[in-house]
Each structure stands twice: as C-alpha cells, then as structure tokens.
Amino acid sequence: MERLLLVRYGEIGLKGRNRHVFEEKLADNMRAALADIEGAKVNREYGRIFVRLEDEGRTGEALERLQRVFGIVAVNPALRVPLDLEAIREAAAMLVRAEGDPPRTFRVSARRAYKRFPHTSQELNHLVGAYVLRHVPHLTVQLTDPDVTVTVEVREHAAYVYADQVDGPGGLPVGASSRALLLLSGGIDSPVAGWMAMKRGIELHAVHYHSPPFTSERSKQKVIDLCRVLARWSPAPVPLHVVHFTEVQKEIHRHVPQELGITVMRRFMLRIGERLARRLDAMALVTGESVGQVASQTLESMAAINAVTNMPILRPLVGFDKHEIIQRAQRIHTYDISILPYEDCCTIFVPERPATRPSLAAVEAAERAMAVEELVQQALENVETLHVEPAPAYVGA
Ligand code: ATP
Ligand code: MG
C-alpha cells in the first residue's frame, strides 16, 4: 500500500501531442511549486500525475502549493493498492478511520476502468461498503450527501482509494500558452486581469508606468507587492518592467487639451507596451479594462486608444461587474494591497471632465504637437527590470 497525491487535470479536448506538452508543463510547474518541500517527487505514470512525499507530515503544505498550480482541477490524497479486493477493502476502512471528524454516514463510489477486474462497480460498492460497515463502528450508509465518500478507482495496474479532495484552480499550466505583457497599475483590476491571463496558461511579464516625483516610491512598492502575489501562481519569478513615464506625462500636460489627456496617456502606454512586448517576445498585451466602468472605458474611448496598435489586447475582465472583480481580488489576496491609498500616475493629472467619447481625429490632432516617437524611444531606454519572487504563503490561503 502506498500513499500518494493523485492529481486531476482537465483532460477533455486535450489529445495527441497537445496532451503530452500540457502534462509535461503541468508536471514541471508542480515541481517548481513543491521545490522547497524536500523529498517531494512528481511523476507522470499511466496517463496520470502523482506526487509522493517523503515526509507525510508535509501533505497539508504540499496541497496548499498545488492549489496555486494552474491546470490542476483537483488533488486526492490516495492509497494505491494492488488489484485485490482485500487490499481495497482495507484501504477504504483505513481512510474512513483516519477522517478527522469521525463520520457518521458514508458511501462507496467505485469506478472500474479496468474491465477485467472480476467485480463490477456495483459489486465493489457493496463489497467494500459492507467491509467498512463491519470494521468501523457507528457508521451507516447514506447515498445522498454522506459525511464521507470513499472513491475506488480500479485501473489496469493498481487501484486507488481516496476519501478527500482539494480543488485546484483549473485552467491551463502557465507556459502552455505563449507570453503576454500585463499593464499593471496599482489598482484593483489589472492584478486580477493578470491572474486570469495566467489561468489560461499565459506566461506573464508585467509593465508599470511610473512617474516620479508625482508618484512616490511607495506607489512603486505597491506594484511590486502586487506582482509578488501574482508570482505565487507562477512557476518562475515574474519580470516587472518599470517604465519611467514622467516626461510623457509632462508633455501631455503641456500640449494636450485636458479632456483628452487620459486618452493620449493610454495611447502612450500601449505604444510603449507594444514595443516592449516585441522586445520580450510577448504576443499580446493584457489590461484590467472593463466596459463602462470609467470615462476611458467606453467603447468609443477604447477605439481611440486601441488605434495605436495592432497587437492583440486581452481584457479578461470585460464581462465582469466591479463586485465580481473585487471578490476575485479578495480571493487571490491582491485586494488589500490594491486599496492602499498611494496615488497612481493617472490620479495626478486626471482632468475634471475627461471626454467619454473622444474622437480619434481630435486625439491625433492633439498628438501632432508632441514628439511622439522620441518620447516612446526615450521611455524604452529607461526601463528598470525586477525579477519578482513570490510572496510567502498566506495562512489559510
Ligand atoms: P486598475 O484597477 O487596473 O488600475 P482601472 O479600472 O483603475 O484599472 P484605469 O485606471 O482606467 O482602470 O486603467 C485601465 C488599465 O490601464 C489598467 O487596468 C491597467 O491595465 C492599465 N494601467 C493604468 N495605469 C497604469 C500604470 N501606471 N502602469 C501600467 N498599466 C496601467
Ligand atoms: Mg487605475
């Protein structure tokens, strides 16, 4: 009998070569997540991924890490036993006895993937259930909503028996999709957008536009801290590129009619972002924009902003209400950092009445007074790159 963690991942639609790449990536990312748990081993066997721990006392810790590995749907701490009814029965009884809160009701849910095993799933339910009833006191069978469900999976090489399940975050393993550059402000939205992009397997870099002395060191630190939280979901440190944006902001202030200031500022963010992305081999930009939230997020405004680039822009929050975004931010622990009061570059120069329907012609006319290309070049020459390591685990996260 062997203890191990049985890892489930979304298998549907993953066929042929894709599946192989997906599994390999997922196993690698799991190894990265478990790197400092000594003696933790991740193996792909029989079309499954298993984790074995030398020190069983670290199971809780390992499960906590695996809950932040995208691609994992669920993890079951399981017993692997030979294809033998007695071994399966004993494992089932052992698991029920080991439940922290002694269960009063239970059921067995058997699945026979290996059809040559002499008992059908139905028979197994009865045979294993009866054994557990006989060997664990004060227990009754209850088919709907029991305190504990013992699952038995019979496969060709062995049977797996488990009673507990920890949910993973789902999605695809980071790195299974290409790389993208997240425009990361200190706000609530963009960290959540970055998390959702990572969930689709995207490897993230982040860019932050920083405008000292109008924005303080503390506001920059806030962005680093947000990046540290995102890095907890990543198999490697997240590169954060800090672009000095003061000169651009000043030039906008000097030349652009106030009500168009934000539109022009966002256009600069995209221009610089696109160039930086190409330099980094990133295929797309990611923003925390949603439709209708603020003046710069009307479709008219997005059109005027988007006109400077052909690069795909992912806006994972587009269909979310603010309330849903906040809930997600709380769940991933970016919220408390995001609501710290430090100014961001946009709050400094925000006009009283930004245009909600800026026309592209008016915006382009305003920019004619600026040395656009020079400003972009200059900003790109002055990029500071930090490789942001994950923040330590939150208790109970
Ligand atoms: P957030 O909460 O992410 O700041 P928001 O709803 O406040 O979003 P805006 O401030 O209009 O929206 O910004 C829209 C998007 O532009 C942000 O989600 C982010 O992707 C990007 N952005 C804004 N400011 C910065 C900045 N200083 N550095 C990098 N990206 C930025
Ligand atoms: Mg903002």
Side-chain angles (χ1 to χ4, degrees), residues 23-82:
E23 289 179 345
E24 196 59 53
K25 197 83 223 160
L26 180 57
D28 281 348
N29 292 356
M30 288 169 55
R31 286 184 193 107
L34 300 171
D36 59 353
I37 299 187
E38 216 177 303
K41 293 236 157 27
V42 177
N43 291 307
R44 291 169 54 207
E45 291 165 23
Y46 318 107
R48 284 288 180 88
I49 301 180
F50 298 100
V51 179
R52 292 179 180 79
L53 298 170
E54 229 162 61
D55 177 359
E56 274 165 27
R58 301 189 77 175
T59 304
E61 212 179 326
L63 288 172
E64 193 258 340
R65 305 297 173 81
L66 296 174
Q67 281 179 287
R68 287 195 306 272
V69 177
F70 287 120
I72 294 180
V73 173
V75 183
N76 303 108
L79 295 172
R80 170 145 96 182
V81 296

Short mmCIF file of all heavy atoms in Angstrom, two decimals, residues 23-82:
data_model
loop_
_atom_site.label_atom_id
_atom_site.label_comp_id
_atom_site.label_asym_id
_atom_site.label_seq_id
_atom_site.Cartn_x
_atom_site.Cartn_y
_atom_site.Cartn_z
N GLU A 23 0.82 17.97 -20.20
CA GLU A 23 1.17 17.20 -19.00
C GLU A 23 2.60 17.47 -18.54
O GLU A 23 2.87 17.56 -17.35
CB GLU A 23 1.01 15.69 -19.29
CG GLU A 23 -0.42 15.28 -19.42
CD GLU A 23 -0.56 13.79 -19.74
OE1 GLU A 23 0.46 13.16 -20.14
OE2 GLU A 23 -1.66 13.27 -19.61
N GLU A 24 3.47 17.58 -19.52
CA GLU A 24 4.88 17.83 -19.21
C GLU A 24 5.02 19.18 -18.49
O GLU A 24 5.70 19.31 -17.48
CB GLU A 24 5.63 17.87 -20.56
CG GLU A 24 7.11 17.74 -20.47
CD GLU A 24 7.54 16.44 -19.80
OE1 GLU A 24 7.08 15.37 -20.25
OE2 GLU A 24 8.31 16.52 -18.83
N LYS A 25 4.34 20.17 -19.04
CA LYS A 25 4.37 21.52 -18.47
C LYS A 25 3.78 21.51 -17.06
O LYS A 25 4.33 22.09 -16.13
CB LYS A 25 3.52 22.42 -19.38
CG LYS A 25 3.75 23.88 -19.20
CD LYS A 25 4.91 24.35 -19.96
CE LYS A 25 5.86 25.28 -19.36
NZ LYS A 25 7.16 25.29 -20.01
N LEU A 26 2.65 20.84 -16.93
CA LEU A 26 1.99 20.80 -15.63
C LEU A 26 2.90 20.14 -14.59
O LEU A 26 3.06 20.65 -13.48
CB LEU A 26 0.66 20.04 -15.75
CG LEU A 26 -0.15 19.92 -14.46
CD1 LEU A 26 -0.44 21.29 -13.86
CD2 LEU A 26 -1.46 19.18 -14.71
N ALA A 27 3.52 19.03 -14.96
CA ALA A 27 4.41 18.33 -14.03
C ALA A 27 5.58 19.24 -13.65
O ALA A 27 5.96 19.33 -12.48
CB ALA A 27 4.90 17.02 -14.64
N ASP A 28 6.14 19.94 -14.63
CA ASP A 28 7.26 20.86 -14.35
C ASP A 28 6.82 21.96 -13.38
O ASP A 28 7.53 22.30 -12.44
CB ASP A 28 7.73 21.55 -15.64
CG ASP A 28 8.63 20.63 -16.46
OD1 ASP A 28 9.06 19.59 -15.91
OD2 ASP A 28 8.88 20.95 -17.63
N ASN A 29 5.64 22.52 -13.63
CA ASN A 29 5.15 23.61 -12.77
C ASN A 29 4.88 23.10 -11.36
O ASN A 29 5.09 23.83 -10.38
CB ASN A 29 3.90 24.24 -13.36
CG ASN A 29 4.20 25.00 -14.65
OD1 ASN A 29 5.35 25.11 -15.06
ND2 ASN A 29 3.17 25.51 -15.30
N MET A 30 4.43 21.86 -11.26
CA MET A 30 4.20 21.28 -9.93
C MET A 30 5.54 21.11 -9.21
O MET A 30 5.65 21.39 -8.02
CB MET A 30 3.48 19.93 -10.06
CG MET A 30 2.02 20.09 -10.46
SD MET A 30 1.25 18.54 -10.92
CE MET A 30 1.56 17.57 -9.46
N ARG A 31 6.54 20.67 -9.96
CA ARG A 31 7.87 20.53 -9.34
C ARG A 31 8.36 21.88 -8.81
O ARG A 31 8.90 21.97 -7.72
CB ARG A 31 8.89 19.97 -10.34
CG ARG A 31 8.67 18.51 -10.61
CD ARG A 31 9.73 17.91 -11.54
NE ARG A 31 9.22 16.62 -11.94
CZ ARG A 31 8.75 16.33 -13.16
NH1 ARG A 31 8.79 17.24 -14.13
NH2 ARG A 31 8.25 15.14 -13.40
N ALA A 32 8.14 22.92 -9.59
CA ALA A 32 8.56 24.26 -9.16
C ALA A 32 7.81 24.65 -7.89
O ALA A 32 8.39 25.20 -6.95
CB ALA A 32 8.34 25.27 -10.28
N ALA A 33 6.52 24.37 -7.86
CA ALA A 33 5.71 24.76 -6.70
C ALA A 33 6.13 24.00 -5.44
O ALA A 33 6.00 24.51 -4.32
CB ALA A 33 4.23 24.50 -7.00
N LEU A 34 6.64 22.79 -5.63
CA LEU A 34 6.98 21.94 -4.48
C LEU A 34 8.49 21.95 -4.20
O LEU A 34 8.97 21.17 -3.38
CB LEU A 34 6.51 20.51 -4.73
CG LEU A 34 5.00 20.33 -4.94
CD1 LEU A 34 4.69 18.91 -5.41
CD2 LEU A 34 4.24 20.66 -3.66
N ALA A 35 9.21 22.83 -4.90
CA ALA A 35 10.68 22.77 -4.88
C ALA A 35 11.26 22.76 -3.47
O ALA A 35 12.24 22.07 -3.21
CB ALA A 35 11.26 23.92 -5.69
N ASP A 36 10.67 23.52 -2.55
CA ASP A 36 11.29 23.56 -1.22
C ASP A 36 10.66 22.57 -0.24
O ASP A 36 10.91 22.64 0.96
CB ASP A 36 11.33 24.99 -0.68
CG ASP A 36 9.95 25.58 -0.57
OD1 ASP A 36 8.99 24.94 -1.04
OD2 ASP A 36 9.83 26.68 0.00
N ILE A 37 9.86 21.67 -0.73
CA ILE A 37 9.40 20.57 0.12
C ILE A 37 10.31 19.38 -0.18
O ILE A 37 10.17 18.71 -1.21
CB ILE A 37 7.92 20.23 -0.12
CG1 ILE A 37 7.09 21.46 0.22
CG2 ILE A 37 7.50 19.01 0.71
CD1 ILE A 37 5.60 21.23 0.19
N GLU A 38 11.24 19.18 0.72
CA GLU A 38 12.28 18.20 0.46
C GLU A 38 11.69 16.81 0.27
O GLU A 38 10.79 16.40 1.01
CB GLU A 38 13.23 18.19 1.66
CG GLU A 38 14.66 17.98 1.27
CD GLU A 38 15.54 18.07 2.50
OE1 GLU A 38 15.50 19.11 3.18
OE2 GLU A 38 16.21 17.08 2.78
N GLY A 39 12.19 16.11 -0.72
CA GLY A 39 11.73 14.73 -0.94
C GLY A 39 10.40 14.64 -1.66
O GLY A 39 9.87 13.54 -1.81
N ALA A 40 9.85 15.76 -2.13
CA ALA A 40 8.61 15.69 -2.91
C ALA A 40 8.95 15.29 -4.34
O ALA A 40 9.84 15.86 -4.96
CB ALA A 40 7.90 17.04 -2.90
N LYS A 41 8.24 14.29 -4.84
CA LYS A 41 8.53 13.81 -6.21
C LYS A 41 7.26 13.87 -7.05
O LYS A 41 6.20 13.44 -6.61
CB LYS A 41 9.01 12.36 -6.17
CG LYS A 41 10.35 12.17 -5.49
CD LYS A 41 11.32 11.47 -6.43
CE LYS A 41 12.77 11.73 -6.10
NZ LYS A 41 13.05 12.02 -4.69
N VAL A 42 7.41 14.37 -8.26
CA VAL A 42 6.27 14.45 -9.17
C VAL A 42 6.55 13.51 -10.34
O VAL A 42 7.59 13.63 -10.98
CB VAL A 42 6.09 15.89 -9.70
CG1 VAL A 42 4.96 15.96 -10.71
CG2 VAL A 42 5.87 16.86 -8.55
N ASN A 43 5.65 12.59 -10.60
CA ASN A 43 5.87 11.65 -11.69
C ASN A 43 4.65 11.52 -12.56
O ASN A 43 3.52 11.55 -12.07
CB ASN A 43 6.21 10.26 -11.13
CG ASN A 43 7.56 10.26 -10.47
OD1 ASN A 43 8.56 10.66 -11.05
ND2 ASN A 43 7.58 9.82 -9.22
N ARG A 44 4.90 11.34 -13.85
CA ARG A 44 3.81 11.01 -14.77
C ARG A 44 3.85 9.52 -14.99
O ARG A 44 4.86 8.97 -15.42
CB ARG A 44 4.02 11.74 -16.09
CG ARG A 44 3.84 13.22 -15.96
CD ARG A 44 4.32 13.92 -17.21
NE ARG A 44 3.67 13.37 -18.39
CZ ARG A 44 4.22 13.39 -19.61
NH1 ARG A 44 5.40 13.91 -19.79
NH2 ARG A 44 3.57 12.88 -20.63
N GLU A 45 2.76 8.87 -14.68
CA GLU A 45 2.69 7.42 -14.85
C GLU A 45 1.28 7.06 -15.30
O GLU A 45 0.31 7.59 -14.75
CB GLU A 45 2.91 6.71 -13.51
CG GLU A 45 4.32 6.81 -12.97
CD GLU A 45 4.38 6.41 -11.49
OE1 GLU A 45 3.49 5.67 -11.03
OE2 GLU A 45 5.30 6.84 -10.81
N TYR A 46 1.18 6.16 -16.23
CA TYR A 46 -0.11 5.65 -16.68
C TYR A 46 -1.09 6.79 -16.99
O TYR A 46 -2.24 6.75 -16.57
CB TYR A 46 -0.74 4.75 -15.61
CG TYR A 46 0.21 3.81 -14.93
CD1 TYR A 46 0.60 4.03 -13.61
CD2 TYR A 46 0.69 2.70 -15.61
CE1 TYR A 46 1.48 3.16 -12.99
CE2 TYR A 46 1.57 1.83 -14.98
CZ TYR A 46 1.95 2.06 -13.68
OH TYR A 46 2.81 1.21 -13.05
N GLY A 47 -0.62 7.82 -17.64
CA GLY A 47 -1.52 8.91 -18.02
C GLY A 47 -2.06 9.71 -16.85
O GLY A 47 -3.10 10.36 -16.95
N ARG A 48 -1.37 9.65 -15.72
CA ARG A 48 -1.77 10.43 -14.56
C ARG A 48 -0.54 11.14 -14.02
O ARG A 48 0.57 10.77 -14.34
CB ARG A 48 -2.30 9.50 -13.44
CG ARG A 48 -3.68 8.97 -13.66
CD ARG A 48 -4.69 10.07 -13.47
NE ARG A 48 -6.05 9.61 -13.67
CZ ARG A 48 -6.79 9.10 -12.69
NH1 ARG A 48 -6.30 8.94 -11.48
NH2 ARG A 48 -8.02 8.74 -12.94
N ILE A 49 -0.76 12.11 -13.17
CA ILE A 49 0.37 12.72 -12.47
C ILE A 49 0.22 12.44 -10.99
O ILE A 49 -0.87 12.61 -10.42
CB ILE A 49 0.45 14.24 -12.75
CG1 ILE A 49 0.61 14.48 -14.25
CG2 ILE A 49 1.62 14.87 -11.99
CD1 ILE A 49 0.69 15.94 -14.65
N PHE A 50 1.29 11.99 -10.38
CA PHE A 50 1.29 11.64 -8.96
C PHE A 50 2.35 12.44 -8.22
O PHE A 50 3.40 12.74 -8.77
CB PHE A 50 1.64 10.16 -8.78
CG PHE A 50 0.65 9.24 -9.42
CD1 PHE A 50 0.92 8.67 -10.66
CD2 PHE A 50 -0.55 8.96 -8.80
CE1 PHE A 50 0.00 7.83 -11.27
CE2 PHE A 50 -1.47 8.12 -9.40
CZ PHE A 50 -1.20 7.55 -10.63
N VAL A 51 2.05 12.75 -6.98
CA VAL A 51 3.06 13.37 -6.11
C VAL A 51 3.29 12.42 -4.94
O VAL A 51 2.34 11.92 -4.33
CB VAL A 51 2.57 14.73 -5.56
CG1 VAL A 51 3.63 15.34 -4.64
CG2 VAL A 51 2.24 15.68 -6.70
N ARG A 52 4.56 12.17 -4.67
CA ARG A 52 4.91 11.37 -3.50
C ARG A 52 5.73 12.23 -2.56
O ARG A 52 6.59 12.99 -3.01
CB ARG A 52 5.72 10.15 -3.89
CG ARG A 52 4.93 9.14 -4.68
CD ARG A 52 5.82 7.97 -5.05
NE ARG A 52 5.09 6.97 -5.81
CZ ARG A 52 4.81 7.06 -7.11
NH1 ARG A 52 5.19 8.13 -7.79
NH2 ARG A 52 4.14 6.11 -7.72
N LEU A 53 5.43 12.12 -1.29
CA LEU A 53 6.15 12.92 -0.29
C LEU A 53 6.94 11.99 0.62
O LEU A 53 6.40 10.97 1.08
CB LEU A 53 5.16 13.73 0.55
CG LEU A 53 4.33 14.74 -0.23
CD1 LEU A 53 3.22 15.30 0.64
CD2 LEU A 53 5.21 15.87 -0.75
N GLU A 54 8.18 12.35 0.83
CA GLU A 54 8.98 11.54 1.75
C GLU A 54 8.45 11.72 3.17
O GLU A 54 8.36 10.80 3.94
CB GLU A 54 10.43 12.03 1.69
CG GLU A 54 11.44 10.94 1.52
CD GLU A 54 12.75 11.54 1.04
OE1 GLU A 54 13.30 12.38 1.78
OE2 GLU A 54 13.18 11.18 -0.09
N ASP A 55 8.09 12.96 3.46
CA ASP A 55 7.61 13.30 4.80
C ASP A 55 6.11 13.56 4.72
O ASP A 55 5.68 14.62 4.25
CB ASP A 55 8.37 14.55 5.27
CG ASP A 55 7.90 15.01 6.64
OD1 ASP A 55 6.98 14.37 7.20
OD2 ASP A 55 8.44 16.02 7.13
N GLU A 56 5.33 12.60 5.19
CA GLU A 56 3.88 12.74 5.08
C GLU A 56 3.33 13.91 5.89
O GLU A 56 2.24 14.41 5.64
CB GLU A 56 3.19 11.45 5.50
CG GLU A 56 3.09 10.48 4.35
CD GLU A 56 2.75 9.08 4.81
OE1 GLU A 56 2.12 8.95 5.88
OE2 GLU A 56 3.15 8.13 4.11
N GLY A 57 4.12 14.32 6.87
CA GLY A 57 3.74 15.47 7.69
C GLY A 57 3.63 16.75 6.87
O GLY A 57 3.07 17.75 7.34
N ARG A 58 4.15 16.73 5.67
CA ARG A 58 4.09 17.95 4.86
C ARG A 58 2.99 17.90 3.80
O ARG A 58 2.98 18.71 2.87
CB ARG A 58 5.46 18.21 4.23
CG ARG A 58 6.54 18.37 5.32
CD ARG A 58 7.85 18.84 4.78
NE ARG A 58 7.83 20.27 4.48
CZ ARG A 58 8.92 20.93 4.08
NH1 ARG A 58 10.07 20.31 3.93
NH2 ARG A 58 8.84 22.22 3.81
N THR A 59 2.06 16.98 3.97
CA THR A 59 0.98 16.85 3.00
C THR A 59 0.16 18.14 2.88
O THR A 59 -0.14 18.60 1.78
CB THR A 59 0.04 15.68 3.38
OG1 THR A 59 0.84 14.49 3.48
CG2 THR A 59 -1.05 15.47 2.34
N GLY A 60 -0.18 18.72 4.04
CA GLY A 60 -1.00 19.94 4.03
C GLY A 60 -0.32 21.05 3.26
O GLY A 60 -0.94 21.75 2.45
N GLU A 61 0.95 21.19 3.51
CA GLU A 61 1.74 22.22 2.84
C GLU A 61 1.79 21.98 1.32
O GLU A 61 1.63 22.91 0.53
CB GLU A 61 3.16 22.09 3.41
CG GLU A 61 3.96 23.36 3.50
CD GLU A 61 5.33 23.01 4.10
OE1 GLU A 61 5.40 22.09 4.96
OE2 GLU A 61 6.31 23.63 3.69
N ALA A 62 1.99 20.73 0.96
CA ALA A 62 2.04 20.39 -0.47
C ALA A 62 0.69 20.69 -1.13
O ALA A 62 0.63 21.26 -2.22
CB ALA A 62 2.42 18.93 -0.66
N LEU A 63 -0.39 20.34 -0.45
CA LEU A 63 -1.72 20.60 -1.02
C LEU A 63 -1.94 22.09 -1.20
O LEU A 63 -2.50 22.55 -2.19
CB LEU A 63 -2.81 20.00 -0.12
CG LEU A 63 -2.89 18.47 -0.12
CD1 LEU A 63 -3.86 17.99 0.96
CD2 LEU A 63 -3.33 17.95 -1.49
N GLU A 64 -1.49 22.85 -0.22
CA GLU A 64 -1.65 24.30 -0.30
C GLU A 64 -0.93 24.85 -1.53
O GLU A 64 -1.46 25.71 -2.24
CB GLU A 64 -1.10 24.93 0.99
CG GLU A 64 -1.48 26.38 1.20
CD GLU A 64 -0.38 27.35 0.86
OE1 GLU A 64 0.80 26.94 0.82
OE2 GLU A 64 -0.69 28.53 0.62
N ARG A 65 0.27 24.36 -1.81
CA ARG A 65 1.01 24.80 -3.00
C ARG A 65 0.29 24.40 -4.28
O ARG A 65 0.20 25.17 -5.23
CB ARG A 65 2.41 24.18 -3.07
CG ARG A 65 3.29 24.37 -1.89
CD ARG A 65 3.60 25.82 -1.67
NE ARG A 65 4.33 25.92 -0.43
CZ ARG A 65 5.62 25.66 -0.32
NH1 ARG A 65 6.33 25.35 -1.38
NH2 ARG A 65 6.20 25.74 0.85
N LEU A 66 -0.19 23.17 -4.30
CA LEU A 66 -0.79 22.65 -5.53
C LEU A 66 -2.09 23.38 -5.87
O LEU A 66 -2.50 23.44 -7.02
CB LEU A 66 -1.02 21.15 -5.43
CG LEU A 66 0.28 20.32 -5.30
CD1 LEU A 66 -0.04 18.86 -5.06
CD2 LEU A 66 1.15 20.48 -6.55
N GLN A 67 -2.70 23.98 -4.86
CA GLN A 67 -3.91 24.76 -5.12
C GLN A 67 -3.63 26.01 -5.93
O GLN A 67 -4.54 26.69 -6.37
CB GLN A 67 -4.56 25.17 -3.80
CG GLN A 67 -5.36 24.05 -3.18
CD GLN A 67 -5.96 24.49 -1.88
OE1 GLN A 67 -5.26 24.64 -0.87
NE2 GLN A 67 -7.26 24.72 -1.89
N ARG A 68 -2.36 26.34 -6.09
CA ARG A 68 -2.00 27.51 -6.89
C ARG A 68 -1.27 27.12 -8.18
O ARG A 68 -0.59 27.94 -8.77
CB ARG A 68 -1.12 28.46 -6.06
CG ARG A 68 -1.92 29.21 -4.99
CD ARG A 68 -1.11 30.37 -4.47
NE ARG A 68 0.19 29.94 -4.01
CZ ARG A 68 0.45 29.52 -2.78
NH1 ARG A 68 -0.48 29.49 -1.87
NH2 ARG A 68 1.67 29.15 -2.46
N VAL A 69 -1.42 25.89 -8.58
CA VAL A 69 -0.82 25.49 -9.86
C VAL A 69 -1.94 25.38 -10.89
O VAL A 69 -2.78 24.49 -10.83
CB VAL A 69 -0.06 24.14 -9.72
CG1 VAL A 69 0.48 23.71 -11.07
CG2 VAL A 69 1.07 24.28 -8.70
N PHE A 70 -1.95 26.34 -11.83
CA PHE A 70 -2.98 26.31 -12.86
C PHE A 70 -2.86 25.04 -13.69
O PHE A 70 -1.75 24.59 -13.99
CB PHE A 70 -2.86 27.54 -13.78
CG PHE A 70 -3.30 28.81 -13.13
CD1 PHE A 70 -2.42 29.87 -12.97
CD2 PHE A 70 -4.61 28.96 -12.66
CE1 PHE A 70 -2.83 31.05 -12.38
CE2 PHE A 70 -5.03 30.14 -12.08
CZ PHE A 70 -4.13 31.19 -11.92
N GLY A 71 -4.02 24.49 -14.05
CA GLY A 71 -4.05 23.24 -14.79
C GLY A 71 -4.57 22.12 -13.91
O GLY A 71 -5.13 21.14 -14.41
N ILE A 72 -4.40 22.28 -12.59
CA ILE A 72 -4.89 21.25 -11.68
C ILE A 72 -6.37 21.50 -11.38
O ILE A 72 -6.75 22.60 -10.99
CB ILE A 72 -4.08 21.25 -10.37
CG1 ILE A 72 -2.63 20.84 -10.64
CG2 ILE A 72 -4.72 20.32 -9.34
CD1 ILE A 72 -1.75 20.80 -9.40
N VAL A 73 -7.17 20.48 -11.58
CA VAL A 73 -8.59 20.60 -11.27
C VAL A 73 -8.85 20.17 -9.83
O VAL A 73 -9.63 20.79 -9.11
CB VAL A 73 -9.42 19.75 -12.27
CG1 VAL A 73 -10.89 19.71 -11.86
CG2 VAL A 73 -9.29 20.32 -13.67
N ALA A 74 -8.18 19.09 -9.41
CA ALA A 74 -8.35 18.62 -8.04
C ALA A 74 -7.20 17.69 -7.67
O ALA A 74 -6.53 17.14 -8.55
CB ALA A 74 -9.68 17.89 -7.89
N VAL A 75 -6.98 17.56 -6.37
CA VAL A 75 -5.96 16.64 -5.88
C VAL A 75 -6.60 15.74 -4.82
O VAL A 75 -7.32 16.23 -3.94
CB VAL A 75 -4.77 17.40 -5.23
CG1 VAL A 75 -3.68 16.41 -4.79
CG2 VAL A 75 -4.19 18.44 -6.18
N ASN A 76 -6.36 14.45 -4.93
CA ASN A 76 -6.86 13.50 -3.93
C ASN A 76 -5.69 12.83 -3.22
O ASN A 76 -4.91 12.14 -3.86
CB ASN A 76 -7.68 12.39 -4.60
CG ASN A 76 -8.83 12.94 -5.40
OD1 ASN A 76 -8.81 12.91 -6.63
ND2 ASN A 76 -9.83 13.45 -4.72
N PRO A 77 -5.59 12.99 -1.91
CA PRO A 77 -4.64 12.17 -1.17
C PRO A 77 -5.16 10.73 -1.22
O PRO A 77 -6.27 10.47 -0.75
CB PRO A 77 -4.69 12.74 0.25
CG PRO A 77 -5.35 14.09 0.11
CD PRO A 77 -6.27 13.97 -1.07
N ALA A 78 -4.40 9.83 -1.80
CA ALA A 78 -4.93 8.50 -2.10
C ALA A 78 -4.03 7.39 -1.58
O ALA A 78 -2.86 7.62 -1.27
CB ALA A 78 -5.10 8.36 -3.62
N LEU A 79 -4.62 6.20 -1.50
CA LEU A 79 -3.84 5.00 -1.24
C LEU A 79 -3.83 4.18 -2.53
O LEU A 79 -4.89 3.98 -3.14
CB LEU A 79 -4.47 4.18 -0.11
CG LEU A 79 -4.47 4.87 1.27
CD1 LEU A 79 -5.30 4.06 2.26
CD2 LEU A 79 -3.04 5.02 1.79
N ARG A 80 -2.64 3.77 -2.92
CA ARG A 80 -2.55 2.92 -4.10
C ARG A 80 -2.34 1.49 -3.63
O ARG A 80 -1.42 1.23 -2.85
CB ARG A 80 -1.38 3.36 -4.97
CG ARG A 80 -1.10 2.37 -6.08
CD ARG A 80 -0.64 3.05 -7.34
NE ARG A 80 0.80 3.08 -7.45
CZ ARG A 80 1.43 3.67 -8.47
NH1 ARG A 80 0.76 4.29 -9.41
NH2 ARG A 80 2.72 3.66 -8.51
N VAL A 81 -3.19 0.58 -4.07
CA VAL A 81 -3.11 -0.80 -3.61
C VAL A 81 -3.15 -1.74 -4.82
O VAL A 81 -3.60 -1.36 -5.89
CB VAL A 81 -4.29 -1.14 -2.66
CG1 VAL A 81 -4.23 -0.32 -1.39
CG2 VAL A 81 -5.64 -0.96 -3.35
N PRO A 82 -2.68 -2.97 -4.62
CA PRO A 82 -2.74 -3.95 -5.70
C PRO A 82 -4.19 -4.26 -6.07
O PRO A 82 -5.11 -3.98 -5.28
CB PRO A 82 -2.07 -5.20 -5.11
CG PRO A 82 -1.41 -4.77 -3.85
CD PRO A 82 -2.05 -3.51 -3.40
#
